[in-house]
Amino acid sequence: MTGAMHQPHPVLRDYLAGPMVGYDISLNADQVHLGVPSATATLIIALDDPLDVGWFGERESQKLWASVSGLHLFPALIRTHGLQRGIQLQLTPLGCRSLFGAPLAELAGHSVDLIELPRGLTESEYARIAAQTEWPQRFAVLESLLLDRLEEFSMPADIRRAWRLLCHGCGVAQTAADVGWSRRYLNTRLHNEIGISPKQLSRLARFSRARTVVGQGVSLADAAYTAGFADQSHLSREWHALAGQSPSKEVEFPFLQDLQYPGTAA
């Protein structure tokens, strides 16, 4: 398992929630990777072989070279066929709008070929990335494409603030009060933009916080307390519901976004 990471250009930091992740993973040909839900959209640019992605509980899958998945409350199923190589990005709601011209709500619960978005990645742009043979060059081409297509989108400041507050552990009632809305109006506005309710977004963010600290070696009991769960059993139930497997199983087979690479690109 090899790969690299690249911290995006400062101009892109409101649009990408974290580094660009390059991954190169060899697995058993019949192994299925679980794509964990999170509070951001996941963009994958597959190299060598397309991403074979479906959804928990469904038999059908899609094979996509460049795709984006919206917010979801169940794991994606990625049939690896023995090899996974590509680049992964996490898009904020503003990033999805400003870079590709679409609200997250249009992507909720499914994966879309990037070429189908209003300003999606074209075949020639994908080819420029795929033609590179080293991670720094791949990152550089992709970053240049993102900077060139960046279009200022004036997402209302209260929507952006509500999303940030909920992602950082603020309760739904407190978030609504902070932005000066009723809970019903907050639900309507946020659902129209990202495709899930404030309560569901808060649930995803809380789960992500727990997974982060567990990945740092914190016990499940302490992670449950830190992330705001009622107890360890509550956290374990959520882990099964959202990730499709137990916490101990995930530690054994980590998710892609948890991997840390020693040779991180600048």
Side-chain angles (χ1 to χ4, degrees):
M1 183 184 300
T2 60
M5 290 187 183
H6 172 74
Q7 292 299 331
H9 190 285
V11 170
L12 294 172
R13 288 179 184 169
D14 281 341
Y15 310 98
L16 304 181
M20 299 181 181
V21 178
Y23 58 91
D24 190 341
I25 309 172
S26 295
L27 303 161
N28 293 330
D30 59 351
Q31 189 163 337
V32 177
H33 167 77
L34 296 175
V36 65
S38 72
T40 55
T42 301
L43 186 152
I44 297 286
I45 297 173
L47 303 170
D48 297 330
D49 292 295
L51 187 75
D52 187 348
V53 59
W55 296 95
F56 199 74
E58 298 180 3
R59 292 185 177 181
E60 295 184 357
S61 64
Q62 299 171 275
K63 292 187 176 181
L64 302 167
W65 287 100
S67 62
V68 60
S69 299
L71 305 187
H72 49 98
L73 299 170
F74 38 83
L77 300 181
I78 301 168
R79 294 165 177 83
T80 65
H81 305 294
L83 175 67
Q84 288 289 287
R85 182 180 293 120
I87 301 173
Q88 175 175 291
L89 309 179
Q90 299 300 128
L91 296 177
T92 67
L94 182 63
C96 198
R97 283 275 200 179
S98 299
L99 292 168
F100 301 106
L104 280 182
E106 292 185 3
L107 312 175
H110 65 287
S111 299
V112 176
D113 193 316
L114 270 179
I115 202 170
E116 296 178 9
L117 298 185
R119 291 188 292 109
L121 201 69
T122 66
E123 291 182 3
S124 62
E125 289 173 331
Y126 169 82
R128 287 176 56 192
I129 299 169
Q132 309 305 314
T133 58
E134 303 293 335
W135 290 117
Q137 287 72 34
R138 291 166 178 158
F139 291 139
V141 172
L142 176 56
E143 185 171 82
S144 176
L145 291 171
L146 295 178
L147 289 169
D148 286 346
R149 77 189 332 102
L150 186 60
E151 182 175 286
E152 189 63 32
F153 174 76
S154 56
M155 178 179 287
D158 41 20
I159 290 284
R160 295 176 64 184
R161 180 165 179 77
W163 179 77
R164 286 197 299 267
L165 287 171
L166 290 164
C167 285
H168 287 86
C170 190
V172 176
Q174 184 180 348
T175 298
D178 187 279
V179 297
W181 294 341
S182 68
R183 291 186 62 170
R184 176 177 293 183
Y185 190 64
L186 172 64
N187 184 79
T188 299
R189 290 293 303 277
L190 202 64
H191 194 281
N192 287 345
E193 182 61 38
I194 69 173
I196 63 174
S197 71
K199 185 176 181 179
Q200 290 169 329
L201 176 62
S202 181
R203 180 188 180 196
L204 291 179
R206 180 177 59 186
F207 172 60
S208 294
R209 291 195 299 274
R211 290 183 58 254
T212 296
V213 295
V214 168
Q216 295 168 348
V218 174
S219 70
L220 288 177
D222 288 341
Y225 174 79
T226 299
F229 288 89
D231 51 33
Q232 181 176 333
S233 294
H234 182 201
L235 171 57
S236 294
R237 290 194 301 273
E238 281 289 84
W239 212 298
H240 274 284
L242 295 173
Q245 61 185 16
S246 69
S248 59
K249 196 69 173 178
E250 182 182 338
V251 170
E252 183 180 352
F253 297 103
F255 288 106
L256 174 62
Q257 50 266 54
D258 299 325
L259 300 179
Q260 297 295 320
Y261 299 113
T264 300

